């Protein structure tokens, strides 16, 4: 599992994924990771499916995003929020 800092631009993290030894996997991300160029490159070179929700003006049939993905993402967001509250972590 890899977690991106809130400080960096999200697409830069996608560049880092290319140098990691990941392949044949799915990555659930938010709308900030919408980059057709990076999505296609990750899929063709590393067989990594980048799963993001679609924007209103996008075709929904092009996305692998589902209610299951939404629930998984919500659990992670809740977990990290609780950790931050518990340990008084502030992300500047």
């Amino acid at each position: 599992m890899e977690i991106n800092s809130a400080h960096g631009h999200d697409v830069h993290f996608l560049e880092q994924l290319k140098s990691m030894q990941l392949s044949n996997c799915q990555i659930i991300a938010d709308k900030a990771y919408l980059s057709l160029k990076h999505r296609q490159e990750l899929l063709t070179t590393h067989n990594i499916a980048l799963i993001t929700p679609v924007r209103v003006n996008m075709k929904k049939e092009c996305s692998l995003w589902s209610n299951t993905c939404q629930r998984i993402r919500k659990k992670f967001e809740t977990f990290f929020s609780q950790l931050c509250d518990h340990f008084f972590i502030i992300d500047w």
Side-chain angles (χ1 to χ4, degrees):
M1 179 173 70
E2 188 72 29
I3 299 167
N4 185 24
S5 166
H7 298 304
H9 191 278
D10 298 325
V11 175
H12 296 305
F13 181 69
L14 294 178
E15 288 291 334
Q16 293 176 359
L17 281 177
K18 296 174 191 174
S19 65
M20 295 179 191
Q21 299 300 320
L22 290 175
S23 63
N24 303 315
C25 64
Q26 296 178 337
I27 297 175
I28 298 174
D30 62 14
K31 290 180 187 178
Y33 288 89
L34 283 173
S35 169
L36 185 58
K37 174 189 160 209
H38 290 289
R39 178 186 299 228
Q40 290 174 339
E41 189 175 339
L42 286 169
L43 188 59
T44 57
T45 59
H46 301 289
N47 198 25
I48 296 174
L50 185 62
I51 303 172
T52 59
V54 293
R55 292 197 171 116
V56 175
N57 62 346
M58 295 173 68
K59 294 180 181 177
K60 293 191 187 317
E61 62 269 10
C62 296
S63 176
L64 298 173
W65 190 258
S66 66
N67 288 338
T68 303
C69 294
Q70 183 64 33
R71 285 193 303 271
I72 291 169
R73 186 170 177 271
K74 176 76 172 167
K75 286 180 183 181
F76 275 96
E77 297 252 348
T78 302
F79 173 73
F80 284 112
S81 176
Q82 290 172 345
L83 276 178
C84 289
D85 289 346
H86 183 74
F87 293 106
F88 304 106
I89 299 170
I90 300 173
D91 188 15
W92 299 96

